[in-house]
Amino acid sequence: MAKTGDRARTTAAPALSSLDFALDRGSPVPLYHQLAQQLEAAIAHGVLAPGNLLGNEVDLSVRLGLSRPTVRQAIQSLVDKGLLVRRRGVGTQVVHSQVRRPLELSSLYDDLETAGQGPTTEVVRNEIVPATCDVAAALGVPEGGEVTVLDRLRRTHGRPVALLRNYLPVPLLDLDSARLESTGLYRVMRSAGITLHSARQTVGARAATAREASRLDEEEGAALLTIQRTAYDDTGRPVEYGTHIYRASLYTFDFQLLVRP
């Protein structure tokens, strides 16, 4: 059995062979929670990828020097979160990592990159179109006036996570599709000298259409998170209006709530 602060290194399971678990037996944090947190971090950062096998509870308890109930409790907590699944005759398997994003004015690409989620982008559409009533109102341009519409499919570790549609005033900047497939929209805007200052955002939910489900690798009718956002620069000018959909099975927002004095 490992002593306080010892590191238990797994060697038998390929999915765990590169992981070093630091389990502090003198900590007030329960061992099952320590193990669950470290497994969750490995999944979130792609060290444990979807489809990787962890082995069964008996094997894991032996490899980690922990009791079987402790390992079972750690695994169950991640099963409950939808990160792991138990398969009869196979063992415990990684399902996916869920993107957790702070609710603030930031680029999805930058947030995913910072979290080690390996974001990639496919530009599906990049063209000039007449502004609809909603788009015109959001961007402060005449209805029917020209705006740039940008549709992108965002993936993490090769899995589709979000369909992003953004509208921008045509004179704002030149949007190069090749560049947008290698970085985020807000990064392109910042490099063009646009200072993002604030935004108005609405979060909602709905069922996926057949077309959306096909693009996002979901079932038709699956739950989607929806985001509508209008971003403003430091002069108060609207510079971007976005309508985005995210796979609810892979994507959540983190809120910090404060008590009003």
Side-chain angles (χ1 to χ4, degrees), residues 10-25:
T10 59
T11 57
L16 296 177
S17 60
S18 63
L19 292 180
D20 234 357
F21 291 98
L23 303 174
D24 186 353
R25 298 172 189 275

Side-chain angles (χ1 to χ4, degrees), residues 4 44 48 57 64 82-83 102 123 128 144 158 180 182 188 213 230 234 247:
T4 299
L48 292 176
E57 293 169 2
L64 298 175
L83 301 180
V123 175
I128 296 175
L180 286 166
S182 64
V188 172
T230 303
D234 54 355
R247 298 174 66 179

Side-chain angles (χ1 to χ4, degrees), residues 10-21 34-55 60 63-64 74-75 78 82-85 92-98 115-117 156-159 250:
T10 59
T11 57
L16 296 177
S17 60
S18 63
L19 292 180
D20 234 357
F21 291 98
Q34 294 183 44
L35 176 58
Q37 283 185 316
Q38 292 176 52
L39 285 171
E40 184 172 358
I43 294 171
H45 288 84
V47 179
L48 292 176
N52 282 166
L53 292 171
L54 271 65
L60 283 173
R63 292 169 195 155
L64 298 175
I75 289 175
L78 298 186
L83 301 180
L84 300 177
V85 64
T92 304
Q93 190 172 27
V94 178
V95 181
H96 55 66
S97 59
Q98 190 173 61
Q117 290 283 348
T156 63
H157 304 301
R159 297 165 300 157
L250 296 181

Side-chain angles (χ1 to χ4, degrees), residues 44-237:
H45 288 84
V47 179
L48 292 176
N52 282 166
L53 292 171
L54 271 65
N56 59 45
E57 293 169 2
V58 174
D59 290 340
L60 283 173
S61 63
V62 171
R63 292 169 195 155
L64 298 175
L66 297 172
S67 69
R68 185 175 178 184
T70 296
V71 173
R72 183 186 303 119
Q73 193 172 4
I75 289 175
Q76 186 59 51
S77 69
L78 298 186
V79 169
D80 292 341
K81 289 184 176 183
L83 301 180
L84 300 177
V85 64
R86 290 187 174 97
R87 302 193 186 280
R88 185 181 297 275
V90 176
T92 304
Q93 190 172 27
V94 178
V95 181
H96 55 66
S97 59
Q98 190 173 61
V99 177
R100 289 191 175 90
R101 188 180 179 192
L103 195 60
E104 58 187 33
L105 183 54
S106 61
S107 163
L108 173 61
Y109 187 94
D110 290 344
D111 289 341
L112 293 175
E113 189 175 61
T114 300
Q117 290 283 348
T120 59
T121 305
E122 175 188 347
V123 175
V124 180
R125 184 185 184 192
N126 182 0
E127 60 183 348
I128 296 175
V129 299
T132 63
C133 178
D134 290 346
V135 173
L139 293 179
V141 300
E143 184 174 354
E146 291 186 338
V147 293
T148 300
V149 61
L150 178 66
D151 287 352
R152 293 165 296 157
L153 176 63
R154 181 66 43 76
R155 296 183 175 90
T156 63
H157 304 301
R159 297 165 300 157
V161 173
L163 285 170
L164 313 173
R165 171 167 290 182
N166 298 83
Y167 297 92
L168 299 94
V170 169
L172 189 68
L173 76 166
D174 181 33
L175 292 172
D176 178 70
S177 293
R179 187 180 182 192
L180 286 166
E181 290 194 340
S182 64
T183 189
L185 175 60
Y186 281 6
R187 193 176 294 181
V188 172
M189 295 172 74
R190 288 194 298 268
S191 68
I194 299 168
T195 303
L196 295 168
H197 177 266
S198 61
R200 294 183 62 87
Q201 178 165 286
T202 302
V203 180
R206 62 173 174 82
T209 66
R211 180 182 177 86
E212 292 165 347
S214 176
R215 298 304 302 270
L216 291 172
D217 196 21
E218 285 280 8
E219 297 291 332
E220 183 177 356
L224 299 177
L225 284 173
T226 65
I227 301 294
Q228 288 187 331
R229 173 190 284 184
T230 303
Y232 303 87
D233 67 8
D234 54 355
T235 69
R237 173 185 57 162

